[in-house]
């Protein structure tokens, strides 16, 4: 999966496509049934390669979405965030470090006071460590634009949340991310789920961003 994501990231092309057909895998006992989507570009051409595949129902016929397509047609299209190989590379190259950091970070975020401090604090040591491991050279402005694109194109889950990984935006604080979401008509959830930042039209507790 990491190799496919890296390949798609290197040669893929971002396109806006319309869902023209939806189907599911045939039932096979308790095996999960993936959802498949045939996509058509705005110019009327078919998005090359296998159909877009997801674990849950995310799109309907006639819905537009942004995907990364493989011009050679070997790999199926994927949403921009799923085609980002950075997270896969980090997991493969620094699994032990990531696991220890994640345990400590999740424990620290356990209290309500810690979550509020996290919303106000600036990116620090963990962000610098992440950028060193991934050789991330993006500027804060580039990361802000990347977050805006994710909020525009990522599908919402069944609870109405758009989830993003904070590690993909190492120079942005949760408070700054909340401000960007607010400018786009969304709210940021103060308490994330499994380390994710969550955004939606309605949240239980909003991150202060003023």
């Amino acid at each position: 999966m990491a190799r496919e994501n890296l390949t798609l990231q290197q040669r893929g092309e971002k396109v806006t496509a319309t869902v023209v057909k939806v189907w599911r895998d045939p039932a096979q006992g308790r095996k999960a049934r993936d959802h498949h989507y045939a996509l058509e570009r705005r110019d009327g051409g078919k998005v090359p390669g296998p159909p877009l595949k997801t674990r849950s129902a995310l799109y309907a016929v006639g819905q537009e979405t942004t995907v990364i397509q493989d011009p050679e047609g070997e790999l199926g299209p994927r949403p921009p965030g799923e085609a980002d190989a950075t997270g896969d590379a980090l997991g493969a190259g620094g699994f032990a470090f990531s696991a220890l950091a994640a345990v400590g970070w999740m424990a620290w975020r356990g209290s309500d006071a810690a979550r509020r401090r996290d919303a106000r604090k600036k990116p620090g040591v963990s962000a610098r460590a992440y950028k060193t491991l991934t050789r991330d050279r993006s500027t804060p402005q580039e990361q802000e634009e990347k977050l805006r694109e994710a909020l525009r194109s990522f599908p919402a889950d069944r609870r109405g949340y758009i989830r993003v990984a904070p590690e993909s935006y190492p120079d942005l604080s949760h408070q700054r991310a909340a401000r960007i979401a607010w400018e786009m008509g969304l709210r940021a959830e103060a308490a994330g789920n499994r380390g994710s930042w969550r955004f939606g039209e309605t949240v239980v507790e909003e991150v202060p961003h003023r």
Side-chain angles (χ1 to χ4, degrees):
M1 181 66 72
R3 287 195 299 270
E4 290 182 1
N5 286 345
L6 182 60
T7 300
L8 198 58
Q9 189 176 38
Q10 290 174 339
R11 74 186 186 203
E13 301 173 345
K14 183 182 295 186
V15 298
T16 299
T18 302
V19 177
V20 295
K21 184 179 179 181
V22 178
W23 71 96
R24 296 185 67 182
D25 289 335
Q28 297 182 9
R30 296 185 178 181
K31 182 180 178 181
R33 301 171 61 191
D34 290 335
H35 297 252
H36 303 269
Y37 308 89
L39 302 177
E40 185 178 276
R41 298 191 304 267
R42 285 180 172 175
D43 61 8
K46 178 181 178 295
V47 172
L52 174 64
K53 181 171 68 174
T54 65
R55 294 289 182 86
S56 58
L58 299 179
Y59 308 103
V61 173
Q63 182 175 348
E64 279 195 346
T65 183
T66 300
V67 296
I68 303 297
Q69 69 172 15
D70 180 8
E72 298 184 12
E74 296 179 359
L75 304 175
R78 294 177 187 166
E82 292 185 12
D84 188 350
T86 303
D88 295 322
L90 176 63
F95 176 78
F97 174 83
S98 300
L100 291 174
V103 170
W105 186 71
M106 289 297 291
W108 183 83
R109 281 181 60 90
S111 68
D112 181 71
R115 288 195 297 268
R116 294 181 182 278
R117 288 197 301 272
D118 180 65
R120 294 191 297 268
K121 80 181 188 68
K122 297 180 179 179
V125 176
S126 60
R128 291 194 297 271
Y130 178 86
K131 295 190 72 172
T132 299
L133 283 172
T134 60
R135 298 180 181 179
D136 187 347
R137 298 293 185 268
S138 62
T139 65
Q141 291 75 22
E142 291 171 337
Q143 293 171 28
E144 289 186 5
E145 185 55 36
K146 180 181 177 182
L147 177 60
R148 290 187 177 93
E149 177 62 25
L151 295 178
R152 281 192 294 265
S153 61
F154 279 22
D157 60 21
R158 293 185 178 180
R159 299 180 62 186
Y161 285 110
I162 297 173
R163 301 187 187 187
V164 301
E167 294 83 2
S168 298
Y169 316 92
D171 292 318
L172 301 187
S173 66
H174 198 181
Q175 187 176 19
R176 178 55 185 160
R179 178 69 184 188
I180 292 172
W182 178 79
E183 293 171 355
M184 299 182 65
L186 296 172
R187 301 173 185 270
E189 177 76 306
N193 184 21
R194 297 182 181 178
S196 299
W197 283 347
R198 302 193 301 183
F199 305 90
E201 295 182 358
T202 303
V203 297
V204 175
E205 182 183 3
E206 185 176 4
V207 174
H209 53 77
R210 296 185 183 278

